[in-house]
Amino acid sequence: RPNQVWVSDITYIPMQNGKWVYLAAWMDRYSRKIVGWNLDVHMREELVLKALQNAVDRYKPSHGLIVHSDRGGQYFGNRFRKLIDKCLFRQSMAGKKSAYENAHAESLWATIKREMLEKGSFDSLEDAQTELFDYIEVYYNRIRRHSALGYESPEKFEQIYNQNELLILQSKLSV
């Protein structure tokens, strides 16, 4: 179901000046929807913390949500762990040197880089922020079809799930 497991990772985004900016994202494992993300010039704990806080504020998941990541130091931070504890989430981490245990997040990065960075790099942090917002919030979550979702977008896949749940509930109430 939606909002049972969120996966996260950080990737590097190239800039035209030869530097990097860093993108952290949280993706719903069920629907592949990117529920929270943050872009910055550093990859300190605050990068993943802000991305998770954005997701929590927006989707208000229930207690027991599993938040899964690799073993990056950002996911061990005190403020990050305090947020997880406050929300009563459960933390899960991939094993050491085990990229396959975070394959969904790794696949997201491959998709974003293949579809967004084919023309090269970004002019500035603001340019990257604008382009990523359009890609994630407008295209990826609402329009882009995923083979793993029966060629539906993440938004449509969740809508279908919610409609089916409503039908099941209505049939139980009518009995």
Side-chain angles (χ1 to χ4, degrees), residues 49-96:
L49 180 65
K50 283 184 178 179
L52 181 58
Q53 187 66 62
N54 291 341
V56 168
D57 291 346
R58 191 169 178 188
Y59 293 98
K60 304 190 180 2
S62 60
H63 302 156
L65 170 73
I66 297 169
V67 290
H68 180 80
S69 68
D70 62 13
R71 301 184 71 78
Q74 300 86 347
Y75 300 100
F76 286 100
N78 289 331
R79 291 182 300 145
F80 181 77
R81 300 288 302 254
K82 282 182 184 177
L83 176 60
I84 289 172
D85 291 343
K86 176 183 165 190
C87 295
L88 301 177
F89 295 161
R90 297 184 345 213
Q91 187 170 22
S92 167
M93 292 183 148
K96 291 181 181 177

Side-chain angles (χ1 to χ4, degrees), residues 1-2 45 55 58 63-64 92 95 101 103 106 117 129 146 155:
R1 295 189 321 255
E45 174 189 8
R58 191 169 178 188
H63 302 156
S92 167
E101 291 181 20
E106 298 293 343
L117 297 175
Q129 182 80 29
H146 298 252
E155 288 274 336

Side-chain angles (χ1 to χ4, degrees), residues 17-61:
N17 63 6
K19 294 185 179 182
W20 303 92
V21 294
Y22 305 93
L23 174 62
W26 288 92
M27 180 177 69
D28 186 292
R29 170 67 180 80
Y30 176 77
S31 67
R32 310 298 201 274
K33 181 191 283 184
I34 301 171
V35 294
W37 60 281
N38 186 36
L39 183 72
D40 214 323
V41 296
H42 63 78
M43 53 185 239
R44 295 186 298 267
E45 174 189 8
E46 150 186 8
L47 183 71
V48 296
L49 180 65
K50 283 184 178 179
L52 181 58
Q53 187 66 62
N54 291 341
V56 168
D57 291 346
R58 191 169 178 188
Y59 293 98
K60 304 190 180 2

Side-chain angles (χ1 to χ4, degrees), residues 10-15 20-25 36-43 46-48 50-51 54 109 112 116 122 124-133 136:
I10 300 169
T11 195
Y12 305 83
I13 304 292
M15 304 302 291
W20 303 92
V21 294
Y22 305 93
L23 174 62
W37 60 281
N38 186 36
L39 183 72
D40 214 323
V41 296
H42 63 78
M43 53 185 239
E46 150 186 8
L47 183 71
V48 296
K50 283 184 178 179
N54 291 341
W109 297 147
I112 287 176
M116 281 206 64
F122 296 104
S124 64
L125 177 63
E126 294 76 22
D127 179 40
Q129 182 80 29
T130 300
E131 293 291 326
L132 283 163
F133 178 88
I136 292 169

